[in-house]
């Protein structure tokens, strides 16, 4: 799987988050969060977006990807003055990232992308990894998603 090494500037993210325990339920828990994000229309509750894209962020790892971590679904914002009680804010620090791009059925393409990444010999920092959904299509079977992996 091809990737490029890039340097990103700091990003302020607002969204909903949950601690994920990797006990075989992680995929189900994350799917339930996406459902909540969509059903409750959280996207429209996030004000002052810097860009219109939705992100899935993996952070506060308690080891590698097989250990507990936090997961957030949200958007990059210019400022975060209006958080409701369900939302929180994180800062993705500037740094070096491996950028992967996947395309296809959103769930299948992202899942297969992560499977390949987990089997690669990357010098991962396990700080903030994230998916950026490009919103290139309303067709969920033809989405482009960038996956960013923090590197040491």
């Amino acid at each position: 799987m091809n990737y490029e090494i890039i340097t990103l500037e700091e990003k302020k993210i607002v969204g909903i988050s949950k601690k994920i325990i990797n006990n075989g339920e992680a995929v189900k828990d994350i799917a339930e969060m996406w459902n909540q994000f969509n059903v409750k229309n959280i996207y429209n509750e996030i004000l002052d977006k810097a860009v219109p894209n939705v992100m899935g962020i993996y952070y506060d790892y308690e080891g590698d990807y097989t250990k507990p971590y936090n997961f957030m679904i949200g958007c990059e914002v210019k400022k975060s003055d209006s958080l409701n009680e369900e939302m929180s804010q994180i800062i993705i620090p500037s740094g070096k990232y491996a950028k992967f791009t996947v395309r296809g059925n959103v769930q299948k393409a992202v899942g297969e992308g992560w499977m390949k990444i987990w089997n690669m010999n990357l010098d991962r920092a396990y700080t903030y990894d994230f998916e950026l959904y490009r919103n290139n299509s309303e067709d969920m079977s033809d989405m482009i998603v960038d996956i960013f992996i923090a590197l040491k």
Side-chain angles (χ1 to χ4, degrees), residues 76-134:
E76 182 179 358
V77 296
K78 297 174 194 167
K79 58 183 180 178
S80 56
D81 297 340
S82 57
L83 299 177
N84 71 29
E85 67 279 350
E86 289 183 85
M87 290 193 271
S88 56
Q89 171 190 301
I90 60 172
I91 304 289
I92 297 175
S94 61
K96 183 170 69 167
Y97 292 81
K99 177 186 173 190
F100 299 83
T101 301
V102 297
R103 182 173 191 157
N105 173 284
V106 69
Q107 288 179 326
K108 184 177 180 199
V110 170
E112 289 175 356
W114 277 109
M115 294 293 268
K116 290 176 184 175
I117 290 166
W118 291 331
N119 288 307
M120 295 177 78
N121 188 19
L122 293 171
D123 194 14
R124 293 185 62 181
Y126 287 103
T127 53
Y128 291 83
D129 302 321
F130 61 95
E131 304 152 354
L132 176 71
Y133 293 81
R134 289 205 209 163

Side-chain angles (χ1 to χ4, degrees), residues 34 37 43 52-56 73-75 131-135:
W34 280 108
F37 186 83
Y43 180 85
N53 308 82
V54 174
M55 300 168 71
I73 303 169
C75 298
E131 304 152 354
L132 176 71
Y133 293 81
R134 289 205 209 163
N135 305 338

Side-chain angles (χ1 to χ4, degrees), residues 45-63:
E45 298 289 323
I46 300 171
L47 305 178
D48 207 22
K49 293 176 190 74
V51 293
N53 308 82
V54 174
M55 300 168 71
I57 303 101
Y58 305 80
Y59 63 102
D60 286 347
Y61 288 93
E62 293 181 16

Side-chain angles (χ1 to χ4, degrees), residues 18-62:
K18 178 180 181 178
K19 183 163 206 95
I20 302 295
I21 309 297
N22 258 337
N23 59 0
E25 298 291 314
V27 171
K28 180 177 153 265
D29 290 345
I30 290 171
E32 286 174 1
M33 283 185 66
W34 280 108
N35 186 54
Q36 175 187 0
F37 186 83
N38 292 321
V39 168
K40 292 187 175 183
N41 206 7
I42 302 291
Y43 180 85
N44 288 332
E45 298 289 323
I46 300 171
L47 305 178
D48 207 22
K49 293 176 190 74
V51 293
N53 308 82
V54 174
M55 300 168 71
I57 303 101
Y58 305 80
Y59 63 102
D60 286 347
Y61 288 93
E62 293 181 16

